[in-house]
Amino acid sequence: MNGFPVGILGTGMYAPERRLTNQELETMVETSDEWIVSRTGIRERRIAAPEQATSDLAYEASLKALAAAGISADQLDLIIVATITPDMFFPSTACILQEKLGAKKAAAFDLSAACSGFIYGLANAAGFIATGAYQYALVVGADCLSRITDYTDRNTCILFGDGAGAAVLGRVPEGRGFRSFELGADGSGGELLNIRGGGSRLPASEKTIAERNHYIYMNGREVFKFAVRVMGNAAEEALRKAGLGKEDIDLLVPHQANIRIIQSALERLNLPEDKCLINVDRYGNMSAASIPVALAEAVEEGHVREGDRLVLVGFGGGLTWGASVLVW
Ligand code: COA
């Protein structure tokens, strides 16, 4: 990367208290704990309380990231919230978060890249800091997928959960921080994973609600194939841009959609499971929150040491993908 070296100064995560277990899902749709665990690796997910919206989850994660970084909210120049479940169409969840935090001088905007959103957000924020335009940025991945999940559809309702993860970015010493970003999109796959209703194409109406167009639609088999292909490709390309090889990876922090997708990425990168943060069993897929929550847990649990080389990699609706190599 050109410009000033930029890295992560602090991370934080928040997951709502309520757990939705496979056993509970067995009472809601025709499924079984055995099927869910063997096909996805997921055992439970967190569900936001009725009074919680995405910005509330984002706020909790942000407070922890700011404390870890030793930065106060009024020092922030920029807030980016990656989400597909904003509190409302507008104002942006980033603006709502800016107000909650009291980050008075920060510019704020939301970013829509589904499960790849956090990595897209990191790339954006890192660019602003690398040029010297900004000093500190807060990047949040936050989603309340329970609000857009159809709990009568067994193909999707077993997968998703709610949560938020945050990172404060700033300048770091030479030789540390982000080494590369690899972002990509393939809009031709947009119909594989989407919410059709409620936008300008198909405004919310009694008909869109009756047809359940306000819920996530997914072609799981096709998304699975795409994910397996793109996770390895994106990680390898990010490594190549950073001038590193697979053998240089100390920790992989992948998007947590399905244990089988993560295992295929590990195979492709020749990595053992202990070089990978896996929490899909406890949270399911939290979309933009998955990678920053996994990263925050890796830091909290002492899996990340100074000088370690991390690869973050994810994929999602759009279709989109993103990977980054950074030296901690
Ligand atoms: N419980 C029991 N059976 C289920 C089920 C459930 N919760 N969900 C689907 N099935 C059934 C299907 O109806 C299908 O039955 P059929 O063959 O009679 O039609 C059968 O299980 C097998 O379905 P298949 O799609 O082949 O399963 P799979 O091994 O591909 O696993 C997913 C399904 C969704 C877990 C998997 O495709 C996946 O993880 N895809 C990626 C999803 C993803 O990552 N999305 C988010 C992107 S950010």
Side-chain angles (χ1 to χ4, degrees):
M1 284 200 24
N2 296 327
F4 298 109
V6 184
I8 293 179
L9 308 180
T11 57
M13 57 81 68
Y14 173 77
E17 277 172 33
R18 157 110 164 83
R19 291 161 204 266
L20 175 60
T21 62
N22 290 352
Q23 286 71 23
E24 201 175 338
L25 283 166
E26 284 175 353
T27 69
M28 297 160 65
V29 288
E30 185 64 40
T31 191
S32 67
D33 175 52
E34 194 279 327
W35 193 95
I36 301 172
V37 172
S38 65
R39 298 297 180 104
T40 71
I42 302 168
R43 294 180 187 278
E44 59 182 39
R45 335 80 199 110
R46 301 298 183 90
I47 304 294
E51 68 278 10
Q52 284 180 313
T54 297
S55 69
D56 301 313
L57 278 50
Y59 175 68
E60 299 296 334
S62 299
L63 289 181
K64 291 183 193 160
L66 286 165
I71 299 295
S72 64
D74 58 11
Q75 290 176 276
L76 290 172
D77 301 299
L78 175 67
I79 297 174
I80 300 175
V81 176
T83 187
I84 53 165
T85 49
D87 286 23
M88 54 189 90
F89 265 145
F90 73 91
S92 68
T93 303
C95 283
I96 297 169
L97 179 63
Q98 185 235 26
E99 163 64 12
K100 281 187 206 284
L101 290 170
K104 292 205 182 322
K105 74 168 180 172
F109 67 90
D110 283 3
L111 190 156
S112 174
C115 307
S116 315
F118 183 71
I119 293 180
Y120 268 67
L122 290 178
N124 267 276
F128 278 112
I129 297 168
T131 62
Y134 290 148
Q135 199 173 1
Y136 297 116
L138 174 68
V139 181
V140 185
D143 269 305
C144 276
L145 293 182
S146 64
R147 302 285 154 77
I148 54 167
T149 295
D150 182 351
Y151 286 99
T152 66
D153 175 11
R154 69 175 183 173
N155 292 294
T156 53
C157 74
I158 56 152
L159 299 173
F160 301 120
D162 303 337
V168 175
L169 273 61
R171 285 195 208 171
V172 291
E174 205 65 53
R176 305 262 293 278
F178 294 104
R179 289 298 179 79
S180 67
F181 286 101
E182 165 66 11
L183 306 178
D186 176 6
S188 72
E191 83 284 358
L192 299 178
L193 184 55
N194 58 29
I195 293 185
R196 290 172 188 161
S200 58
R201 176 73 58 197
L202 207 56
S205 67
E206 282 177 16
K207 184 167 182 284
T208 62
I209 302 229
E211 290 175 356
R212 309 184 88 73
N213 285 318
H214 54 300
Y215 289 127
I216 297 174
Y217 164 82
M218 183 183 76
N219 178 332
R221 226 169 276 186
E222 289 304 316
V223 173
F224 189 93
K225 283 192 237 162
F226 156 74
V228 164
R229 187 177 71 248
V230 85
M231 289 275 273
N233 288 352
E236 284 186 3
E237 189 53 25
L239 282 165
R240 193 192 61 74
K241 284 183 180 172
L244 297 173
K246 298 174 191 180
E247 63 287 354
D248 297 313
I249 303 175
D250 293 304
L251 186 71
L252 181 74
V253 183
H255 176 46
Q256 310 278 323
N258 183 318
I259 190 68
R260 289 153 55 211
I261 295 171
I262 295 173
Q263 280 162 348
S264 83
L266 288 173
E267 255 171 58
R268 171 93 176 261
L269 297 168
N270 288 332
L271 284 178
E273 248 187 39
D274 64 358
K275 286 202 170 183
C276 181
L277 198 294
I278 298 173
N279 62 17
V280 67
D281 51 325
R282 289 179 287 125
Y283 300 120
N285 181 347
M286 299 180 287
S287 191
S290 280
I291 291 174
V293 166
L295 180 63
E297 287 198 330
V299 173
E300 247 169 58
E301 291 165 12
H303 297 302
V304 186
R305 286 176 300 270
E306 233 176 84
D308 276 358
R309 286 165 296 224
L310 273 60
V311 174
L312 316 182
V313 62
F315 65 93
L319 300 167
T320 55
W321 59 89
S324 178
V325 173
L326 78 151
V327 179
W328 199 255

